[in-house]
Amino acid sequence: MSVLQPVRRHVPNDHSCLFWALAYLGEGGECGRAKAQELREVCAQEALKDPDPATRALLLGFDSVELYATWIRNEFHWGGENEVLVLAKHYGLEVAVVCCESMQVLCYGSDHPGCTARVYLLYTGQHYDPIVFGPDASVPVDQEQKRLSKGDTSLDSGATDLARQHNVEAARKASQRRAKKIKCGGCGTLLSDAEAFATHCGEVEHDDDFAYECEEVEVVIEGDEALPEGTLDLNSDNVQTFTNTGVDPLSNAFPAPVTIGGVSFPSLEHYWQATPFLGVSDEVAKRIASAKSVDEAVMIAGGAGPAAQRPDWRDRRRELLLEGLVAKGKQCPAFSQALQQTGEKTLVCLDADPWGGMQAPGGIPTGQNNVGKALMELRSSQL
């Protein structure tokens, strides 16, 4: 006879995973949302029928059992220890919950007279999955064993190994760095965004069949792997990052008045928001310059729309940005001092704007960082 091994089965990762998992173990086969809702109702009725509703409500952490019943019927609310106890009784099962966080096996329902068998759940701290048994991990569903004898703890160690494996895999994924890239359909080059892809298409010669195809792909770098060549490591000691929040003197939003072209702006960000409209929509630019806050300036610029912008805006924006930074350097001592104190570090503006800054939600920086590059150019010219 083959030695049984614990095998993790997966149920949907939603707010009803506990109900899916216990239905799988208690009834077998797949269960749908209707079954999950049915088990929620079992929990609600168990509370509503309690002969001592006040004490039951107190134990449940609610002001009344009616409030609990309403809460648990909501499919967006998770099940937990209270529901495990009720459903263990409902199915006549001893439910062994293997906790990935504590690496312990907690048992529920053993003291109920109707309990006849033992089942296992894996609890990650956020999700429940059923554990079944078979000769190896490839055991087919129709040959797996879902139940052991009540009180049989012989496979606790193996079930705990599943928790340990989960923790190792979770740690590996947590150390991964990910980024969305645009992959050129002609040559396979990975670009940071759509604008970079458009530039690539204009600069790189492809074959005659190339029709400007591209696709979004996800780049995954394991924790012990080096970042791709040319990728900035934002955690490096040689990199200094800042956000455009107005706190750092390097940021455009820093509240330092600057006069450019005879027009006074409360901050360089006001100027930057006005640059697309200078010379073509002067009334919009004037309103931006008079805005009481950066947020108001951004809203005015966004409301004006592309039609009001100067036609050469995209081609001249780097030049206009540098012009503004030069003026800020001459008129704001705090900015000049902060810039010189960066030494030879690579400056990176952390911003959602892919042209002006960079961001790294998955650990791999993307974006052109033109604000950071312009700052470094200005710093070099001042040496």
Side-chain angles (χ1 to χ4, degrees), residues 192-234:
S192 60
D193 52 42
E195 185 170 349
F197 173 67
T199 301
H200 167 78
C201 292
E203 295 176 348
V204 178
E205 185 175 347
H206 296 82
D207 60 37
D208 294 338
D209 295 329
F210 180 60
Y212 299 93
E213 307 98 335
C214 66
E215 62 176 325
E216 185 179 67
V217 298
E218 184 176 60
V219 176
V220 179
I221 305 297
E222 297 294 341
D224 57 351
E225 293 180 349
L227 289 169
E229 184 177 353
T231 301
L232 276 176
D233 181 358
L234 299 185

Side-chain angles (χ1 to χ4, degrees), residues 51-91:
D52 186 358
T55 301
R56 185 60 171 264
L58 183 64
L59 293 173
L60 290 169
F62 286 81
D63 291 337
S64 69
V65 291
E66 288 78 14
L67 285 175
Y68 166 76
T70 299
W71 182 86
I72 196 60
R73 286 168 176 151
N74 187 326
E75 66 176 351
F76 293 105
H77 291 156
W78 292 10
E81 188 174 46
N82 292 320
E83 291 68 44
V84 172
L85 283 166
V86 172
L87 296 177
K89 174 184 175 182
H90 173 71
Y91 283 118

Side-chain angles (χ1 to χ4, degrees), residues 105-122:
V105 179
L106 305 178
C107 210
Y108 300 88
S110 306
D111 56 346
H112 194 272
C115 176
T116 59
R118 182 181 181 91
V119 297
Y120 282 80
L121 290 176
L122 182 71

Side-chain angles (χ1 to χ4, degrees), residues 263-302:
V263 181
S264 295
F265 299 90
S267 73
L268 190 62
E269 186 65 26
H270 284 73
Y271 160 76
W272 179 242
Q273 293 297 326
T275 51
F277 311 102
L278 294 174
V280 292
S281 302
D282 289 333
E283 184 59 33
V284 175
K286 183 178 179 180
R287 288 174 56 211
I288 293 173
S290 301
K292 296 180 180 179
S293 67
V294 167
D295 288 342
E296 184 180 342
V298 171
M299 290 181 64
I300 294 172

Side-chain angles (χ1 to χ4, degrees), residues 4 94 96 118 120 145 148-156:
L4 291 177
E94 177 182 67
R118 182 181 181 91
Y120 282 80
Q145 181 175 329
L148 301 179
S149 299
K150 177 184 176 181
D152 183 355
T153 62
S154 61
L155 293 177
D156 277 16

